[in-house]
Amino acid sequence: MSIEIDLVKAYFESNGFLVRQAGTHPQETGKKKVVPLPTIAIFNPNRSDNGIDLSFRMFTGDLVGVKSALVSLLGWSNSCFTNDCLTSDARLMKFFKGEASAEQLNLNFNPSPVLAESGMGDFLRILVIPHFPRHEQKAKLLTESLEEAGVDGVLTLRSIFENLLRQATPARAFINQDIFHILKLLKAYDLVKEPQLDMFEE
């Protein structure tokens, strides 16, 4: 399990969600094995249903409208994402075309019998991605493509990381102590600075 999925778990736990492992097993598609993305199930015990006016591009403030969801991670460690994708929308769109196919996402977001018995009810399908296109037209194309594949919303790793860094204060205790201990150390040694959160700035 990658550090990224630990960050995603810590993010939802620290924002009031119950979190557990979820997902389905690899399936054969002809001669090609389709491996599901790392997936967790999240549940907010303080909500009775999922909001109907949530934006597709999600931020931490949108979590108040989420009751339950399957959250899958398309991250650096389980894909071909590279630094070049951060600076080029063309490369980023090529990345999504190869790594976020409808076949892949359909496998990930099909509910398993375990989920059906968990009391989640109707749930959202949220995808955590490394980066979102900057160009408006590219962002629109990606949104349409992921919506057609059954995705209800996306969160970026940057948004997740930024929120965790803001929460990582010496006085606060968290369920995932290892993750927050690392983040507290980064802040203690001035390797990240708020509010911009510029890393390793001289």
Side-chain angles (χ1 to χ4, degrees):
M1 197 64 67
S2 72
I3 186 67
E4 289 167 287
I5 196 65
D6 286 339
L7 284 168
V8 173
K9 288 178 180 178
Y11 171 73
F12 283 103
E13 287 171 348
S14 66
N15 281 286
F17 287 84
L18 303 177
V19 176
R20 68 177 179 80
Q21 198 65 38
T24 55
H25 297 290
Q27 295 180 357
E28 296 289 341
T29 306
K31 294 183 178 179
K32 182 182 178 183
K33 180 181 287 186
V34 181
V35 180
L37 302 172
T39 301
I40 58 173
I42 63 168
F43 182 78
N44 182 352
N46 297 317
R47 276 198 66 92
S48 59
D49 54 19
N50 285 309
I52 60 173
D53 57 349
L54 294 173
S55 61
F56 184 79
R57 173 74 188 277
M58 300 178 72
F59 297 92
T60 300
D62 296 309
L63 296 185
V64 295
V66 177
K67 174 193 175 185
S68 59
L70 285 185
V71 181
S72 292
L73 169 67
L74 180 61
W76 291 65
S77 61
N78 65 324
S79 73
C80 64
F81 192 82
T82 64
N83 286 6
D84 290 340
C85 296
L86 291 172
T87 56
S88 169
D89 276 355
R91 290 192 182 97
L92 186 62
M93 296 301 288
K94 184 178 180 180
F95 162 79
F96 283 117
K97 184 177 180 180
E99 297 282 349
S101 66
E103 179 186 41
Q104 170 77 69
L105 296 176
N106 182 60
L107 171 63
N108 246 67
F109 290 129
N110 273 333
S112 69
V114 174
L115 283 174
E117 297 168 3
S118 69
M120 286 183 67
D122 292 332
F123 55 87
L124 299 174
R125 293 158 176 84
I126 298 173
L127 184 65
V128 177
I129 60 176
H131 196 54
F132 202 78
R134 290 186 176 88
H135 191 274
E136 184 177 348
Q137 186 60 29
K138 292 287 195 303
K140 182 180 178 182
L141 288 173
L142 178 61
T143 297
E144 291 173 350
S145 173
L146 293 179
E147 284 181 333
E148 288 177 5
V151 178
D152 296 311
V154 296
L155 281 160
T156 64
L157 281 169
R158 179 184 175 89
S159 293
I160 287 173
F161 196 41
E162 180 179 7
N163 180 257
L164 289 174
L165 282 167
R166 291 186 183 279
Q167 294 187 63
T169 57
R172 188 168 178 183
F174 295 93
I175 297 173
N176 194 325
Q177 293 296 332
D178 291 340
I179 291 292
F180 280 96
H181 184 64
I182 292 171
L183 298 179
K184 288 175 185 177
L185 287 174
L186 286 172
K187 293 176 76 172
Y189 286 103
D190 290 328
L191 295 175
V192 290
K193 300 180 185 296
E194 295 186 282
Q196 294 83 9
L197 299 174
D198 294 325
M199 297 192 69
F200 307 111
E201 181 180 65
E202 293 183 3

